[in-house]
Amino acid sequence: MGSVALLDPDGALAAARAAAQVGTLTFVSGVADPGIDVVSAATDGPLVYTLYVTGDQRWLDETLAHVASLPVAAIALLADAPYYGRRDRDLMNAVKSKVSRKRH
């Protein structure tokens, strides 16, 4: 979940720590805060990196090589789009996610 930082100030790190406490894995979105580097360095539980393909072949090769160098159990390729639809409640509350900030 790329917007996990909206639920906890520690974002993906808080989710990974909670999952490790109960002995389960964590899926860390490629657009989550903090990123996979911080989460993998600060937690012991198994991690799955979820990859949105948003760049060209060079970007993909570099991203995969980098993530493969980290202690992750797997890489999951996401087939949906990393873009939010129109969410009126988010617009009314001026919610800004990492993904929506990239678009503007």
Side-chain angles (χ1 to χ4, degrees):
M1 184 168 107
S3 301
V4 69
L6 295 173
L7 304 173
D8 186 288
D10 289 335
L13 183 54
R17 286 179 174 156
Q21 285 180 352
V22 297
T24 192
L25 59 84
T26 302
F27 283 77
V28 180
S29 172
V31 295
D33 283 323
I36 189 67
D37 294 303
V38 172
V39 175
S40 66
T43 60
D44 294 326
L47 304 174
V48 175
Y49 179 78
T50 58
L51 174 69
Y52 284 110
V53 179
T54 58
D56 60 14
Q57 187 65 49
R58 180 177 176 194
W59 173 89
L60 180 59
D61 292 343
E62 290 172 357
T63 300
L64 289 173
H66 176 71
V67 173
S69 74
L70 300 172
V72 298
I75 298 172
L77 177 64
L78 299 177
D80 64 338
Y83 299 104
Y84 285 120
R86 180 182 172 89
R87 296 180 180 177
D88 291 335
R89 183 171 294 175
D90 288 352
L91 293 171
M92 288 185 299
N93 292 311
V95 173
K96 296 288 185 194
S97 72
K98 189 174 183 180
V99 173
S100 66
R101 288 191 308 262
K102 285 176 123 180
R103 292 176 53 199
H104 296 97

